[in-house]
Amino acid sequence: MYLRSSSARSGCILRNMKKTRFSTSGILASLILAAFLALCLSCAEREEDLTSGGLILSPDASSFTVRLAGRDRGGSLFVPASYNGTRPYSLVFCLHGAGGNGMGCLPWGFNRLAEELDFIMVYPDGAGLRWDSPDDIPFFTMMLVEFKKHFVIDPARVYVTGHSAGAIQAYELAAALPRQFAAIAPVAGAVLTGNAVEGALPVSVLHIHAVDDMEVPYNGASEWGVLSAPDSVAWWRKVNEAGLGEPAKSEVFCDSEGMMGVLWHGVGGIDTAALFHKTGGHTWLPMATEYVADFLYNHPPRRNSVRIDRERLPHFLKEDGTATVVPILSDAGATKRVEYFANGKKIGESSKKPFAFDWQNPGKGLFTISARAEMSDGTKIPSTLNPTVLAAPPALGPEGLTAISSSDENEALRPEFAIDGDLFTRWSSAWSDPQTLTIDLGSSRKVEGVTLYWEQAFARTYRILVSETGASWTPVVSEDKGKGGIVFHSFAPAPARYVRFEGLTRETEWGHSLWEVLVHPSAE
């Protein structure tokens, strides 16, 4: 599961790495005009010297520079520690939105997945924090040449993803540099009619968009030549000859947590897909990183695709419990064995179909469960879309629990989402102190602990209090050095019908934000 922390907040067009309320006043116009300007200039005849000064890497290989037309262009870079030049890796360009830079993409979490999926991640900087330079297309042409010189790159596995203006740029690159990319994955972008280059060639496309996006509207903006999200997908379906005909052949790959994902198969393994969120606005959306990485990794198709069956794995698990991990394999017949990992540490393996594994006594914590299938020829294929499990002491609910709060950031972040047993939903308060979240257990119970699963916005100082009446309260936990993450608080067994979180001081500018609050009953 992709956890929507700072990465989901960093999609702002004008304020890099700031969570803001968006206004379309002037912003969409600026974005679209800049994109059209870039198109016109980049497609014009140019006679400038494009001689490369070569690829220059920083000592720690975390940034790069290339010389283009007498000017330096560059960005951030991530090369997995496993890379040694003995086998080809995929090359993934990840593009920031307007007002940002390459480093602003890092919180999206691609580097962690790059280690597992053999991705070399390139985060270019737009000129002037934008993608409206006449040098942009030559810049990417130069990078394609230079990175392939410097690293062992599989030419059939070069990709582009991006957010907002970076997503629009990804569409432009796919059209302007045909056959250079195996797949693109734009998030919160759109096809511009002026960028629909005649004769565009097929490329696999995953389009991710929120229906309530007001910056690059889901329904498009015809006055600016901005196609709607569905029409952007349809445009590339036509190019890719994907799922055409009546009725269109499609495959639903996601229908949960307010997300609907549909894929249309094209010829030669070239697919077109859409993942639409009911809510999310103009952000890097929840699970976007996981779905992008999954789509890119599997296009063109691998010898096997490996995923863990989420339906068979609980969101919550007792710290001394057992969970059965079951793989979903596209080629089980040629699979020799499957290894399993929790947070990268091997927890077991299975060599017998259906290759299921019983994971026992995980201990406390948040665990990302992954797998690696070994094929009969020795090839190893890692899993994608890896699920997350929270292991904790036994907890109450969610049935029978209710919650109220002192405030909510918005209607989509209500208090009941912190106790619903769903790791994809959360409560977030207004951006002020103090704030409270009060859980009604339904009846008086003895309790002896609370687990807080924080989002990126957490409290530095807070208290946990209990009450049998809701009138007088007894503090059982006091924290003045909170660090977020997942915190397990235990205390002496105490009778309580109500358990209250009281946030006193926020660590971030945002509200107090909790994915889940677990109340642990006493064993007495």
Side-chain angles (χ1 to χ4, degrees):
M1 182 189 72
Y2 174 65
L3 304 181
R4 191 176 73 83
S5 56
S6 59
S7 54
R9 304 181 184 273
S10 60
C12 180
I13 291 179
L14 296 181
R15 301 183 190 176
N16 181 43
M17 296 304 293
K18 295 288 186 180
K19 183 179 181 183
T20 66
R21 296 292 182 265
F22 296 102
S23 168
T24 57
S25 176
I27 298 176
L28 179 59
S30 175
L31 174 64
I32 302 308
L33 290 175
F36 274 117
L37 177 62
L39 172 71
C40 296
L41 293 174
S42 63
C43 293
E45 292 294 329
R46 297 174 55 82
E47 298 181 356
E48 294 185 43
D49 176 19
L50 298 183
T51 301
S52 169
L55 178 69
I56 302 174
L57 302 181
S58 63
D60 62 356
S62 64
S63 63
F64 71 95
T65 304
V66 296
R67 191 74 173 169
L68 176 67
R71 294 180 292 275
D72 288 337
R73 292 283 301 266
S76 300
L77 179 68
F78 178 78
V79 181
S82 58
Y83 177 82
N84 58 17
T86 60
R87 55 188 173 87
Y89 274 49
S90 302
L91 184 65
V92 181
F93 293 94
C94 186
L95 312 184
H96 62 81
N101 58 27
M103 288 192 68
C105 303
L106 299 183
W108 298 346
F110 280 107
N111 288 358
R112 173 179 55 83
L113 295 178
E115 290 280 9
E116 302 172 8
L117 303 178
D118 293 347
F119 287 172
I120 291 178
M121 297 297 306
V122 182
Y123 304 97
D125 294 335
L129 307 182
R130 304 187 68 84
W131 296 110
D132 57 5
S133 168
D135 287 331
D136 284 342
I137 299 300
F139 178 38
F140 280 91
T141 301
M142 187 70 69
M143 286 191 291
L144 286 167
V145 171
E146 291 299 327
F147 278 104
K148 289 176 183 177
K149 283 182 183 178
H150 196 89
F151 297 99
V152 181
I153 301 298
D154 184 343
R157 297 192 180 277
V158 180
Y159 310 107
V160 185
T161 186
H163 179 259
S164 189
I168 293 173
Q169 180 75 352
Y171 273 130
E172 180 179 339
L173 287 168
L177 299 176
R179 302 195 188 283
Q180 294 297 309
F181 305 102
I184 64 171
V187 178
V191 171
L192 306 185
T193 55
N195 289 25
V197 178
E198 291 294 330
L201 299 180
V203 59
S204 289
V205 174
L206 169 63
H207 183 114
I208 302 179
H209 218 115
V211 174
D212 63 351
D213 189 335
M214 300 300 292
E215 295 298 312
V216 179
Y218 174 85
N219 291 320
S222 57
E223 66 272 27
W224 297 107
V226 181
L227 294 185
S228 69
D231 285 346
S232 295
V233 174
W235 195 92
W236 278 99
R237 280 181 58 199
K238 183 176 180 180
V239 172
N240 294 339
E241 299 181 17
L244 302 180
E246 294 291 341
K249 295 180 180 179
S250 62
E251 169 190 327
V252 175
F253 64 87
C254 177
D255 185 8
S256 65
E257 312 300 340
M259 300 182 289
M260 173 60 71
V262 181
L263 181 143
W264 296 267
H265 292 291
V267 296
I270 296 177
D271 300 328
T272 309
L275 181 62
F276 296 145
H277 291 239
K278 288 184 179 179
T279 61
H282 194 67
T283 62
W284 185 262
L285 292 161
M287 289 211 61
T289 300
E290 259 67 9
Y291 275 105
V292 167
D294 169 73
F295 188 82
L296 300 185
Y297 183 80
N298 289 294
H299 287 84
R302 304 272 178 173
R303 290 198 53 203
N304 201 351
S305 68
V306 185
R307 297 184 180 93
I308 291 171
D309 190 342
R310 290 173 176 265
E311 298 300 320
R312 303 282 293 273
L313 196 63
H315 285 313
F316 297 95
L317 179 64
K318 294 180 181 179
E319 59 183 321
D320 57 354
T322 300
T324 300
V325 189
V326 180
I328 300 174
L329 307 167
S330 63
D331 190 356
T335 301
K336 181 179 178 181
R337 66 171 178 157
V338 178
E339 300 174 289
Y340 294 97
F341 305 85
N343 292 347
K345 182 179 179 181
K346 186 174 178 178
I347 55 176
E349 63 179 63
S350 176
S351 301
K352 183 178 179 180
K353 293 181 182 178
F355 303 105
F357 168 72
D358 288 332
W359 181 37
Q360 299 177 339
N361 303 315
K364 292 190 295 188
L366 186 70
F367 298 94
T368 298
I369 310 303
S370 59
R372 185 169 59 201
E374 182 178 348
M375 308 300 288
S376 55
D377 65 355
T379 302
K380 293 184 177 182
I381 308 292
S383 60
T384 53
L385 290 176
N386 297 320
T388 299
V389 173
L390 178 57
L396 298 174
E399 297 82 8
L401 304 186
T402 57
I404 60 172
S405 60
S406 54
S407 69
D408 306 328
E409 182 178 330
N410 58 52
E411 180 65 17
L413 302 172
R414 300 190 303 273
E416 60 265 32
F417 292 143
I419 58 168
D420 62 357
D422 188 335
L423 297 181
F424 288 88
T425 61
R426 64 186 175 97
W427 165 71
S428 184
S429 74
W431 300 7
S432 61
D433 294 321
Q435 299 289 344
T436 61
L437 175 73
T438 303
I439 302 170
D440 184 347
L441 307 181
S443 62
S444 183
R445 306 284 299 269
K446 269 196 173 183
V447 297
E448 62 179 16
V450 170
T451 294
L452 302 178
Y453 179 12
W454 288 102
E455 197 238 3
Q456 180 72 7
F458 63 94
R460 182 172 68 250
T461 61
Y462 59 87
R463 297 192 302 170
I464 304 294
L465 308 98
V466 296
S467 173
E468 289 196 89
T469 64
S472 60
W473 294 86
T474 301
V476 291
V477 173
S478 293
E479 176 61 72
D480 61 3
K481 295 181 180 179
K483 297 181 179 179
I486 296 176
V487 187
F488 302 94
H489 290 295
S490 59
F491 45 83
R497 172 169 176 169
Y498 303 95
V499 177
R500 172 174 289 178
F501 159 82
E502 183 179 46
L504 302 175
T505 308
R506 292 164 295 136
E507 180 64 22
T508 70
E509 65 178 300
W510 310 305
H512 301 271
S513 184
L514 288 157
W515 288 108
E516 204 71 18
V517 179
L518 304 180
V519 179
H520 306 299
S522 172
E524 294 181 0

